């Protein structure tokens, strides 16, 4: 079973920030939070990962709470091409990925 | 800088035949993972390999499925005596030997069983 809980679906207006929450209350000290997305039935695309500090890259920002029990993925300016299923996964580095149901993000014009 | 390469992209087999799916990891990556996505379902981990070693095969069906990652060449996922229920998308991912870098996925092989 996945160790994370995510909302089933979310909508976001094009051009606005998309904030996707994830709960991982049972995360252990050396586990990382990884975010992936899957567009249609393509291969999952890596987005970002972090341990305890906030992270930012060209795709997104990851905000991890101080107690590490939850995190938020932020897509700063969502486009229609960001419509996808987003997965929050907690695992050790090089560990197997356990995919839950994810959040289906629908970006609307 | 090529990513994870999987071939074939689409594979059609008749019941009882063998299916061989190939995966070449990203350059510099020595870990390979296989995942399966059944129609309308989520991705499920199957097996984790390093060169010439199976590290974790907890997600592999007990029969008919095998995987290898030889010293030279791509990783191979083999399905013997395929059945209709094997129809799925099979994804391969790779990661480097050390560090916390993520797994990167290929585009998958869509296996259809007639």
């Amino acid at each position: 079973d996945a160790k994370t809980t995510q909302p089933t679906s979310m909508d976001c207006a094009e051009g606005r920030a998309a904030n996707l929450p994830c709960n991982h209350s049972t995360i252990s000290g050396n586990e990382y939070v990884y975010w992936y997305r899957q567009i249609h039935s393509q291969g999952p695309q890596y987005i970002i990962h972090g341990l305890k500090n906030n992270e930012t890259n060209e795709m997104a920002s990851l905000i991890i709470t101080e107690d590490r029990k939850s995190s938020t993925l932020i897509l700063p300016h969502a486009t229609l091409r960001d419509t996808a299923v987003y997965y929050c996964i907690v695992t050790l580095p090089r560990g197997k990925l356990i995919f839950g149901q994810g959040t289906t993000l629908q970006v609307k014009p | 800088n090529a990513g994870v390469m999987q071939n074939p992209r689409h594979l059609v087999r008749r019941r009882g035949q063998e299916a061989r799916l190939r995966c070449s990891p990203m350059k510099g990556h020595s870990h390979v993972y296989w995942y399966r996505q059944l129609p309308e379902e989520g991705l499920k981990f199957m097996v984790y390999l390093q060169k010439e070693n199976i590290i974790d095969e907890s997600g592999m069906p007990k029969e008919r499925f095998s995987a290898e990652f030889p010293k030279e060449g791509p990783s191979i996922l083999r399905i013997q005596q395929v059945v209709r229920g094997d129809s799925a998308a099979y994804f391969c991912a790779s990661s480097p030997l050390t560090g916390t870098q993520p797994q990167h996925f290929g585009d998958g092989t869509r296996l259809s069983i007639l």
Side-chain angles (χ1 to χ4, degrees):
Chain A
D1 290 341
K3 298 174 65 173
T4 62
T5 304
Q6 300 177 250
T8 301
S9 63
M10 294 182 63
D11 290 343
C12 178
E14 189 178 19
R16 305 297 292 267
N19 296 277
L20 290 83
C22 179
N23 288 321
H24 32 79
S25 58
T26 62
I27 189 171
S28 64
N30 50 359
E31 287 182 315
Y32 283 68
V33 180
Y34 291 85
W35 282 84
Y36 285 82
R37 71 182 182 184
Q38 188 175 29
I39 299 173
H40 296 297
S41 296
Q42 298 176 17
Q45 179 186 22
Y46 164 76
I47 301 172
I48 198 166
H49 74 286
L51 181 63
K52 56 183 178 181
N53 296 320
N54 297 338
E55 302 287 345
T56 296
N57 63 21
E58 66 278 4
M59 288 183 68
S61 294
L62 175 60
I63 309 298
I64 303 174
T65 58
E66 191 168 347
D67 64 7
R68 301 212 320 125
K69 292 185 177 181
S70 66
S71 60
T72 301
L73 177 73
I74 301 172
L75 306 178
H77 305 288
T79 70
L80 298 178
R81 288 178 294 182
D82 292 322
T83 292
V85 181
Y86 287 77
Y87 298 98
C88 168
I89 300 170
V90 167
T91 189
L92 296 170
R94 295 180 299 286
K96 62 187 177 186
L97 301 177
I98 307 297
F99 288 84
Q101 299 284 21
T103 296
T104 299
L105 175 67
Q106 182 72 47
V107 180
K108 298 185 175 181
Chain B
N1 188 15
V4 177
M5 303 300 292
Q6 289 189 249
N7 64 83
R9 292 293 305 278
H10 300 274
L11 182 62
V12 179
R13 285 287 178 268
R14 296 188 180 278
R15 282 178 294 174
Q17 291 184 323
E18 178 179 284
R20 291 168 62 94
L21 287 62
R22 288 177 292 277
C23 170
S24 296
M26 288 179 67
K27 185 177 181 180
H29 286 192
S30 58
H31 297 232
V32 165
Y33 311 76
W34 286 93
Y35 296 81
R36 177 168 68 173
Q37 188 167 31
L38 295 169
E40 307 302 322
E41 293 190 16
L43 290 114
K44 303 291 185 187
F45 166 79
M46 299 181 75
V47 63
Y48 165 26
L49 310 103
Q50 292 179 16
K51 287 282 188 181
E52 300 183 286
N53 284 308
I54 295 175
I55 306 302
D56 180 355
E57 57 182 347
S58 58
M60 286 283 270
K62 294 290 187 285
E63 298 178 345
R64 302 187 297 107
F65 285 72
S66 63
E68 63 176 4
F69 188 16
K71 186 176 180 180
E72 300 292 336
S75 175
I76 305 290
L77 180 67
R78 179 183 301 161
I79 312 172
Q80 296 178 300
Q81 300 174 337
V82 295
V83 301
R84 288 255 170 88
D86 296 332
S87 295
Y90 292 81
F91 293 100
C92 170
S94 72
S95 71
L97 177 63
T98 59
T100 65
Q101 290 308 303
Q103 297 174 33
H104 289 276
F105 284 78
D107 291 332
T109 292
R110 271 72 179 171
L111 176 64
S112 298
I113 308 302
L114 301 180

